[in-house]
Amino acid sequence: MAVNRKTRGAARIVRKAAFSIGVVFALAGPAAQAETLADALASAYQNSGLLDQNRALLRAADEDVAGAVAALRPILNFTANVTRNFGTSRSTGNVGGIVSGLDSTQADMGLVASLLLYDGGAASLDVEAAKETVLATRQRLVSVEQQILLRAVVAYLSVYANRDAVQLRQNNLRLLSEELRAAQDRFEVGEVTRTDVAQAEASLAQARSGLATAQGDLQQAIEEYQNVIGRQPGQIAPPPQLPRLEGDVEAARALAVRTHPDLQEAQHRVAASEINIQRAESALKPTISAVGSLGITDDLESRDYSNSGTIGIELSQPIYRGGALSSTIRRAIAARDAELGNLYEVRKTVSQDVGNAYAALAARRASLSASEERIRAARIAFRGVREEATLGARTTLDVLDAEQELLDAETARISDEANLYIAAYGVLDATGRLTAQNLNLGVQQYDPTAYYNLAKDAPTTTSEQGRQLDRVLRSLQRN
């Protein structure tokens, strides 16, 4: 009688275990109307405040070019003032003297114009340095874009993996509950000891703790997803195929050294610092400007008025400023040397990051392959134990132990798969190709040249080009 009860209990557990395995396998199946990784990346690109911040910084750099260009153009100022004079004067030429009032009201208006003719190339160098800074800032924007998209990849895969992990642990908890009931039944008929029941209770408590931890990890992943992607995650589709990567790490390293945005930014900053040295040296040269003025003075208490005008050429050149100009040149040279040092370090860092990314990718591939092999072996073991249990050669605990091993292998596989995708996109980031353009995201991409082309000529607000700039700025404002 005890043997029959034992066999029926094992068969019941086997049926539940087989059902749970089916649920585990179904987790990897495609979900209808699920959000894809491309959808998540597109949303992160559109909703990133950090991208908006750096786009605004780029527009500010564009305006620095406009400001430098404006220095080469004529400057026209309007002046106006009204002056009230008052007082008295006394003449002692006559007996007793004559006292007269000095009260008068006078209005002055004028136009003052100046045009820089020559300054040793300083103003033109300012324009060139500002352009190099714009190019560096554009590359900084690309680097930030890569950071945002890589963070979005991690957020997406974290939700995907943690949801599956929670479901696996829920199944595990149900199985251990059955194991505890089976152990209690067998204890009642004297097949096991109280120690066996206590072990089953401890395993169940551990499973509950593991489920609570997995649920906490999932909630944190959801919070990160909402922060990065801009909305709560719905159904998450399984990851797509891995992105195409260079098979040779040295080829990838050579590509990164040519195209990585961090390295290009550093190169443009070196170029700007070289120009700044020339700019500092040009301050020692003479400055020639054409100046002119028109003015009118009107005595408001009479009909008297006068007007005048001047035109001329001004020449100035510093002779001695206490060593300030020489100090400025030395400072510019030191700043250039600092940028050269930064360029050297960035080149080494980019090269190292590529090597690290490929090493991580190889490790993740090996780990996933090992997990697949572990699943294959655990599945064979589970099927064998299940068949033996139906014949009475295995206990219910043996079946559940085999089931637990298979579930653990599935959990490890989910984590390894997510880590493999993160490593693959990490390679794209290390080589400078994790951008909306290279990923072909279905999103309106930000054109860094559109604003620059409108602003570089320093249009006034009343010109047509200036009005276009105003419209562009309004369109960029978040609601």
Side-chain angles (χ1 to χ4, degrees):
M1 185 67 179
V3 173
N4 291 337
R5 179 168 183 167
K6 171 184 175 182
T7 302
R8 288 196 300 272
R12 182 173 66 252
I13 301 301
V14 167
R15 288 194 299 271
K16 290 184 176 292
F19 171 76
S20 297
I21 288 295
V23 172
V24 171
F25 294 156
L27 293 177
Q33 304 298 324
E35 182 174 24
T36 65
L37 178 58
D39 296 333
L41 292 176
S43 295
Y45 182 86
Q46 292 173 318
N47 297 320
S48 173
L50 187 58
L51 278 177
D52 287 342
Q53 175 190 2
N54 282 270
R55 288 165 184 166
L57 292 174
L58 175 57
R59 294 194 297 274
D62 294 342
E63 293 295 347
D64 288 340
V65 175
V69 168
L72 295 169
R73 295 177 178 171
I75 298 174
L76 183 63
N77 291 319
F78 171 77
T79 63
N81 66 78
V82 176
T83 305
R84 173 64 178 172
N85 301 313
F86 54 90
T88 59
S89 67
R90 181 177 179 180
S91 174
T92 59
N94 299 318
V95 178
I98 299 175
V99 178
S100 61
L102 298 178
D103 295 348
S104 65
T105 303
Q106 182 176 295
D108 295 295
M109 293 181 292
L111 292 175
V112 179
S114 64
L115 174 63
L116 178 66
L117 299 179
Y118 175 78
D119 66 348
S124 298
L125 290 170
D126 280 343
V127 174
E128 295 304 316
K131 289 180 178 179
E132 289 294 340
T133 302
V134 166
L135 295 176
T137 309
R138 287 181 186 176
Q139 295 303 318
R140 178 58 184 164
L141 178 60
V142 175
S143 182
V144 171
E145 179 181 336
Q146 289 206 141
Q147 296 172 23
I148 295 300
L149 293 181
L150 183 60
R151 187 178 175 188
V153 169
V154 175
Y156 179 92
L157 291 168
S158 294
V159 171
Y160 173 77
N162 280 292
R163 279 182 174 175
D164 283 0
V166 166
Q167 294 185 49
L168 286 171
R169 288 191 176 276
Q170 288 172 338
N171 292 332
N172 187 31
L173 184 62
R174 286 193 292 269
L175 290 173
L176 290 177
S177 297
E178 291 294 332
E179 179 181 345
L180 176 59
R181 284 194 290 271
Q184 291 171 338
D185 291 344
R186 295 175 67 191
F187 174 74
E188 291 176 0
V189 298
E191 294 182 3
V192 297
T193 65
R194 181 63 186 171
T195 300
D196 296 311
V197 176
Q199 289 176 338
E201 291 174 341
S203 297
L204 182 61
Q206 183 179 4
R208 287 173 176 155
S209 175
L211 176 59
T213 300
Q215 289 172 334
D217 292 341
L218 174 59
Q219 188 57 44
Q220 292 181 20
I222 290 173
E223 293 293 337
E224 173 69 2
Y225 188 98
Q226 185 173 9
N227 183 18
V228 177
I229 309 302
R231 61 174 179 272
Q232 285 281 338
Q235 281 188 302
I236 299 294
Q241 292 184 348
L242 289 173
R244 296 182 60 183
L245 306 172
E246 285 77 14
D248 181 18
V249 63
E250 293 305 322
R253 203 189 306 270
L255 174 65
V257 169
R258 293 194 308 271
T259 63
H260 197 281
D262 289 353
L263 194 54
Q264 292 192 21
E265 177 190 0
Q267 290 169 343
H268 287 299
R269 296 203 181 279
V270 169
S273 65
E274 293 280 3
I275 295 173
N276 285 333
I277 295 176
Q278 301 176 50
R279 173 67 179 86
E281 292 172 344
S282 67
L284 297 172
K285 299 178 180 179
T287 299
I288 303 175
S289 300
V291 294
S293 65
L294 290 174
I296 183 170
T297 301
D298 189 358
D299 188 344
L300 299 181
E301 296 183 350
S302 70
R303 301 180 63 181
D304 297 338
Y305 74 92
S306 64
N307 53 48
S308 62
T310 63
I311 186 170
I313 299 293
E314 287 186 355
L315 171 65
S316 66
Q317 182 174 5
I319 297 176
Y320 177 72
R321 292 187 180 178
L325 296 178
S326 299
S327 175
T328 301
I329 295 173
R330 292 193 299 270
R331 184 183 185 283
I333 293 173
R336 186 272 316 275
D337 293 343
E339 294 296 347
L340 285 172
N342 178 65
L343 174 61
Y344 178 69
E345 287 301 316
V346 170
R347 182 181 287 111
K348 292 196 303 179
T349 300
V350 167
S351 179
Q352 179 186 359
D353 287 347
V354 172
N356 290 345
Y358 269 88
L361 180 64
R364 298 307 181 188
R365 280 175 172 163
S367 182
L368 180 60
S369 178
S371 294
E372 296 288 356
E373 180 63 23
R374 180 184 176 189
I375 291 173
R376 185 193 66 80
R379 186 178 296 123
I380 293 173
F382 169 71
R383 290 171 180 170
V385 172
R386 182 177 60 184
E387 292 296 330
E388 293 172 4
T390 59
L391 300 175
R394 291 280 188 170
T395 65
T396 299
L397 293 178
D398 293 331
V399 174
L400 294 178
D401 285 343
E403 168 68 7
Q404 180 64 45
E405 173 60 24
L406 181 55
L407 289 175
D408 289 344
E410 284 285 351
T411 301
R413 185 198 63 79
I414 292 172
S415 177
D416 289 338
E417 182 184 27
N419 289 333
L420 175 61
Y421 274 87
I422 293 172
Y425 282 94
V427 170
L428 290 182
D429 175 62
T431 53
R433 293 179 297 154
L434 188 59
T435 63
Q437 180 178 359
N438 290 329
L439 296 177
N440 294 319
L441 298 182
V443 63
Q444 180 65 40
Q445 297 179 24
Y446 183 81
D447 183 3
T449 65
Y451 187 90
Y452 174 82
N453 290 334
L454 290 173
K456 65 180 180 179
D457 295 327
T460 62
T461 56
T462 56
S463 67
E464 177 58 31
Q465 197 168 343
R467 288 191 290 271
Q468 290 180 7
L469 274 175
D470 290 339
R471 289 193 291 270
V472 169
L473 286 174
R474 286 194 295 269
S475 68
L476 292 172
Q477 300 300 316
R478 282 190 178 271
N479 297 328

